[in-house]
Amino acid sequence: MTNNPLIILAIDGGGIRGIIPAYILNQIEQTIGMPCYKMFDIIGGTSTGGILSAGLTTPNPNSNTGTMPFTAAELLNIYETRGASIFVAQNCEVDYCATYVADDGKGKGVEPFLQEIAGKTTRLSYAQKTVTALAGARIKQMFTTGYIVNSTGNTVQDPVQGKDFGPYLFNWADAAVNPNDDYYVWEAARATSAAPVYFPIANVGGGAGNRSPALSKWVLDGGTMSNNPAVWGFSEAFRLGLTSGINNIIVISLGTGVYPGENGIGIHTNYGHLTPDNGNWSETPWMLEKMYDLEGYETDATLLNIILSAVPLVADCQLNALIKAGLQYYRLEPFITQSLGAMDDVSPSNIRALQTAADKYISDGGAGNQMFNDIIKLLKAQV
């Protein structure tokens, strides 16, 4: 424990929109003149934010030294140039399979991609030991979020929370003391980004094939329960005894862009044919039909979209309330248009537009620019 403020970096989920926090982090690293592992005590993320968190704290197997983590610039470049390696379309012989493949057996898919980036057998404990030993390292904990839906894949009698179901953090601290939690880094990244519909459920651990010997788990994207992982970062500070109190914590939370229209739904505009008026809807309108959002754009799986939008808003409200108790909390997230809201649009034009949105947000003199400058001043004072 230290009297110095504990600085937490938390990064939201959002697919290819991870370009937004990657761009912001690159600007922070360039302005401060040092990498993230020297600036933050805890780095954690959900989904694409989990991939970024792992990259910022895991030795780059393709670097000259083999010990230095990725810089934000390197991760941003990967998103810019390799996005299509994550989203590889799947052609199933049966109906209702996920949109994108996990591993096609021929070196394509999100799993081979993550193994290439993080290493096929790099464990969480190894990443911790290696990166914390680097000169000037401040980082003490890294985590990615996930939600367990099964352990063995089969029927489970008397299922146990934390083993067979429930929230789970892939993290350095637990991996260092318990081999059952010492997953490969790529597994931690794969599990946190196993977005339902987009990707198959992540099967990690168990020791079979190229899986780690850690406990077997079938895991969904952490966004299903905490797309904004900032509260997890806050709670980890206390769980691990890294802080003396709330007055000693700084939380910097990075979103992937919010499209306001997806946070609600048209009531009277979603009326016609078999759909009743006044929100009197069954599961078919809520889950299966295209419906109009707040701004009048059509969207699928409306109820799921609203839930996933609500989760990060809740965390933001909770942490804002804790400012009155002494927490220093900073949230950077630009508003984006409906056209930029897709998680899997890896077209060059969309990637450029996301970067433009991020750049404008932190540099145009508005609230985002002021918040960015406040964060820079804070980090310069601490590092």
Side-chain angles (χ1 to χ4, degrees):
M1 187 181 299
T2 175
N3 291 323
N4 294 325
L6 191 83
I7 307 178
I8 300 167
L9 171 64
I11 313 173
D12 284 16
I16 196 61
R17 297 196 332 249
I19 283 175
I20 290 175
Y23 182 90
I24 293 172
L25 287 171
N26 182 38
Q27 296 303 305
I28 290 175
E29 286 191 346
Q30 288 187 6
T31 304
I32 301 297
M34 62 177 60
C36 285
Y37 74 88
K38 292 185 178 182
M39 290 188 279
F40 300 101
D41 297 279
I42 297 175
I43 297 177
T46 290
S47 196
T48 193
I51 294 175
L52 288 171
S53 297
L56 293 169
T57 57
T58 299
N60 178 357
N62 302 309
S63 70
N64 292 331
T65 64
T67 58
M68 300 296 293
F70 289 89
T71 64
E74 290 171 330
L75 293 172
L76 178 61
N77 180 258
I78 289 172
Y79 273 72
E80 291 171 343
T81 61
R82 303 282 310 277
S85 298
I86 300 174
F87 300 101
V88 179
Q90 179 171 201
N91 294 317
C92 286
E93 296 180 359
V94 295
D95 293 334
Y96 307 129
C97 64
T99 305
Y100 301 106
V101 67
D103 186 344
D104 69 353
K106 301 177 181 178
K108 293 183 178 180
V110 65
E111 289 185 5
F113 170 77
L114 292 173
Q115 290 165 13
E116 177 189 343
I117 298 302
K120 291 184 177 181
T121 59
T122 302
R123 299 188 184 216
L124 290 168
S125 62
Y126 173 80
Q128 180 199 41
K129 181 179 179 180
T130 304
V131 176
T132 57
L134 294 174
R138 180 169 185 148
I139 186 70
K140 301 173 181 65
Q141 168 75 321
M142 189 285 297
F143 69 86
T144 71
T145 66
Y147 190 87
I148 307 165
V149 293
N150 203 302
S151 51
T152 66
N154 299 310
T155 300
V156 179
Q157 298 298 322
D158 301 319
V160 176
Q161 182 176 336
K163 175 178 178 290
D164 304 302
F165 73 94
Y168 181 77
L169 292 188
F170 296 84
N171 71 94
W172 277 4
D174 292 335
V177 298
N178 190 342
N180 289 333
D181 294 308
D182 197 8
Y183 292 88
Y184 295 146
V185 174
W186 76 261
E187 291 178 306
R190 165 73 172 101
T192 194
S193 58
V197 178
Y198 291 94
F199 294 105
I201 298 173
N203 176 210
V204 299
N210 57 5
R211 266 55 182 175
S212 68
L215 285 181
S216 173
K217 287 181 173 60
W218 292 78
V219 188
L220 291 182
D221 188 310
T224 58
M225 54 94 180
S226 58
N227 203 40
N228 175 346
V231 174
W232 279 112
F234 178 80
S235 63
E236 282 296 276
F238 288 98
R239 182 177 79 93
L240 301 177
L242 298 177
T243 181
S244 58
I246 192 172
N247 292 13
N248 210 40
I249 298 177
I250 299 167
V251 176
I252 297 173
S253 174
L254 303 182
T256 60
V258 58
Y259 161 56
E262 69 183 355
N263 292 281
I265 187 171
I267 304 299
H268 303 306
T269 51
N270 284 296
Y271 166 62
H273 188 45
L274 298 177
T275 305
D277 197 3
N278 298 318
N280 184 24
W281 303 321
S282 68
E283 70 175 277
T284 298
W286 272 119
M287 298 300 297
L288 302 177
E289 289 185 352
K290 286 184 178 295
M291 301 188 78
Y292 295 109
D293 67 15
L294 276 178
E295 296 188 12
Y297 290 97
E298 282 190 327
T299 182
D300 293 314
T302 299
L303 181 60
L304 179 61
N305 290 335
I306 290 176
I307 291 173
L308 292 178
S309 298
V311 170
L313 291 176
V314 168
D316 184 49
C317 289
Q318 291 168 332
L319 290 172
N320 266 307
L322 290 175
I323 291 176
K324 293 183 178 180
L327 177 69
Q328 295 185 65
Y329 172 61
Y330 302 84
R331 171 79 170 168
L332 286 172
E333 180 168 47
F335 287 118
I336 58 175
T337 62
Q338 187 269 347
S339 63
L340 295 180
M343 294 201 302
D344 57 348
D345 184 353
V346 295
S347 65
S349 60
N350 187 63
I351 288 173
R352 287 193 299 271
L354 288 169
Q355 289 194 65
T356 298
D359 180 70
K360 182 178 180 181
Y361 175 67
I362 62 173
S363 63
D364 69 353
N369 177 224
Q370 181 59 55
M371 183 74 74
F372 178 81
N373 289 335
D374 288 345
I375 290 172
I376 293 299
K377 291 178 183 177
L378 180 152
L379 290 174
K380 283 183 176 180
Q382 295 301 323
V383 300

